Amino acid sequence: MPYMLNNKLKDLQPYDPIAGNYSIRLDANESFLELPMELLEKAQYSMADVAFNRYPDPYATELCESFGAYYGVDPALVTAGNGSDEWLFIIATSFLMRGDKLLTVEPDFSMYRFYGSLAEAESVVYKKKEDLSIDVDDLIVQVRESGAKVVLFSNPCNPTSLGLRREEVRKLITSVSALVVLDEAYMDFWDQSLLGEVAQYDNLIILRTCSKAFGMAAIRLGFAVANPTLTRTLRAVKSPYNVNAITQKMGALVMRSPELLHRALDEIILSRKALQAGLKDLETRYPEQMYVYDSCTNFVLVRMPRAKEIFEGLLSKGIAVRFMGDTLRITAGSEEENAQLLKNLESLVSSSTNP
Ligand SMILES: *Cc1c(COP(=O)(O)O)cnc(C)c1O
């Protein structure tokens, strides 16, 4: 008998980001800013302090202290990971037993259900309303009635760019006995984080990442923040040396430069506002062609009846955005990138025959 892959593996395909040479990349929600020269210079010096022949600190102590200082949370509640992707994998495969229910919302980050399927969890999906908002009371009913063990969603949401306010997330956490995993990947761009009160809940894990607002997708660094009991479990279940020494150094260095981070953040938010205003202006002129959602992140979601055709039109001009069904998700770029995007979008939208 030939070797046979099991059912959960046999149809899997490797992750396939947009391949090819696009001069403008607005498809992955990365920061368009490079790290300031000042930090890069410091980084070179601190590389000399890395003990390359030794395993790294398994608890990334210095790094977690820098995270704690930046956000004003107790570092004892913080555990570093190899991107928040690693946390999603660890949490799904260890907090869920086979057949347990994982509740996700739709639309949301597509990786959640993938990790649930590796855990052989059963998927339960809350469908967002027509306007892509979440009715927390409905969500709570669904969590309770389904008996879900874990509820996992992003806030603010990728791809909708809409967010739930603190009171609503609190209500969810305190109304269910499921573990709530709150992915705050984009919360640096908004002000409704629950980081400051994470210790008060016995069923909350908050995920944060350095891949978006901090402009360090390359170093693969994310954090899980939770009460001491959950933190002990997270530390016990992760692989011992999950965050390499170079990433630990670099992350700590950047988080100890809050002025530089805040300046970058302001710049990204300005860019997103400009992009959104430009898109809204197009919407006013071509209302049958597009609808622009509100945004509290570094990207904007646009509903377009001709999304696929317009996505391909942009690609042919060297501009990559994210195509998702009848919407395009567009990351805020530099002034020049936004201008190119808007110019090309306008020419595609105005050259339309009706959908
Ligand atoms: C980008 C993103 C992440 C970040 O993942 P990393 O592994 O830390 O790069 C996590 N969650 C959501 C919703 C994201 O959009």
Side-chain angles (χ1 to χ4, degrees):
M1 275 286 275
Y3 175 70
M4 300 277 280
L5 288 168
N6 67 33
N7 284 338
K8 66 183 174 185
L9 299 178
K10 68 179 172 25
D11 297 323
L12 289 186
Q13 298 293 329
Y15 183 70
D16 186 18
I18 296 184
N21 247 336
Y22 301 104
S23 51
I24 299 184
R25 295 294 304 259
L26 304 175
D27 59 310
N29 293 345
E30 297 144 323
S31 169
F32 63 90
L33 296 168
E34 287 171 19
L35 285 182
M37 195 47 86
E38 208 180 316
L39 281 178
L40 293 177
E41 277 166 10
K42 278 194 202 162
Q44 288 194 342
Y45 285 110
S46 65
M47 281 308 112
D49 299 335
V50 173
F52 282 97
N53 57 326
R54 301 294 175 189
Y55 283 106
D57 174 1
Y59 302 114
T61 313
E62 189 195 348
L63 174 63
C64 292
E65 278 165 6
S66 307
F67 179 99
Y70 181 81
Y71 286 110
V73 302
D74 180 353
L77 309 179
V78 181
T79 313
N82 189 13
S84 32
D85 249 327
E86 184 189 25
W87 284 123
L88 293 169
F89 179 82
I90 291 176
I91 291 167
T93 51
S94 41
F95 287 79
L96 289 163
M97 306 271 278
R98 178 188 304 161
D100 279 353
K101 289 179 177 133
L102 168 65
L103 192 145
T104 54
V105 302
E106 177 63 32
D108 201 352
F109 194 43
S110 56
M111 298 303 286
Y112 300 153
R113 267 183 268 163
F114 164 67
Y115 288 130
S117 73
L118 288 185
E120 299 180 69
E122 213 178 290
S123 168
V124 178
V125 178
Y126 167 89
K127 284 256 176 258
K128 292 186 187 176
K129 295 191 294 183
E130 187 71 26
D131 63 1
L132 299 184
S133 67
I134 291 176
D135 181 319
V136 170
D137 293 316
D138 288 348
L139 177 58
I140 289 169
V141 168
Q142 200 174 347
V143 175
R144 287 188 177 155
E145 287 182 352
S146 65
K149 288 286 195 300
V150 175
V151 183
L152 168 52
F153 64 102
S154 56
N155 190 45
C157 170
N158 171 12
T160 68
S161 199
L162 305 172
L164 278 180
R165 303 192 66 82
R166 270 192 203 104
E167 316 77 85
E168 302 194 276
V169 183
R170 273 186 204 120
K171 188 172 182 188
L172 168 68
I173 298 164
T174 55
S175 307
V176 302
S177 53
L179 176 70
V180 177
V181 182
L182 184 59
D183 183 350
E184 293 190 341
Y186 299 92
M187 192 55 90
D188 296 286
F189 302 109
W190 203 32
D191 60 1
Q192 296 294 311
S193 177
L194 286 189
L195 269 184
E197 55 197 79
V198 70
Q200 297 170 28
Y201 306 105
D202 68 357
N203 61 334
L204 175 65
I205 299 175
I206 298 179
L207 302 181
R208 303 290 296 228
T209 177
C210 291
S211 301
K212 307 288 157 56
F214 289 5
M216 294 194 292
I219 71 170
R220 311 304 303 125
L221 180 57
F223 295 87
V225 189
N227 72 33
T229 311
L230 286 171
T231 295
R232 194 175 322 118
T233 304
L234 291 167
R235 290 182 182 182
V237 77
K238 77 180 187 67
S239 68
Y241 305 113
N242 60 329
V243 180
N244 75 71
I246 298 175
T247 291
Q248 290 192 28
K249 271 268 180 258
M250 198 63 205
L253 184 76
V254 170
M255 276 186 283
R256 273 188 264 109
S257 306
E259 350 46 64
L260 293 179
L261 286 176
H262 288 136
R263 204 183 306 156
L265 201 54
D266 289 346
E267 221 176 304
I268 297 170
I269 291 173
L270 271 182
S271 158
R272 190 264 297 161
K273 285 185 173 158
L275 172 65
Q276 196 177 13
L279 291 167
K280 282 269 186 202
D281 175 57
L282 276 183
E283 179 195 73
T284 319
R285 288 185 287 136
Y286 304 97
E288 328 73 59
Q289 294 281 333
M290 54 196 283
Y291 172 79
V292 181
Y293 289 89
D294 283 340
S295 167
C296 60
T297 64
N298 66 333
F299 59 89
V300 183
L301 187 73
V302 189
R303 183 173 297 281
M304 306 187 97
R306 294 161 60 223
K308 182 137 211 282
E309 178 192 339
I310 286 171
F311 165 71
E312 282 161 1
L314 289 171
L315 276 188
S316 74
K317 299 288 180 184
I319 303 174
V321 300
R322 183 69 190 266
F323 164 67
M324 323 171 91
D326 55 356
T327 58
L328 298 182
R329 191 196 66 195
I330 307 172
T331 309
S334 66
E335 224 172 296
E336 172 61 21
E337 289 172 330
N338 289 350
Q340 284 296 326
L341 178 275
L342 288 167
K343 188 184 99 188
N344 283 282
L345 195 57
E346 167 145 33
S347 86
L348 289 163
V349 161
S350 62
S351 74
S352 80
T353 45
N354 278 330

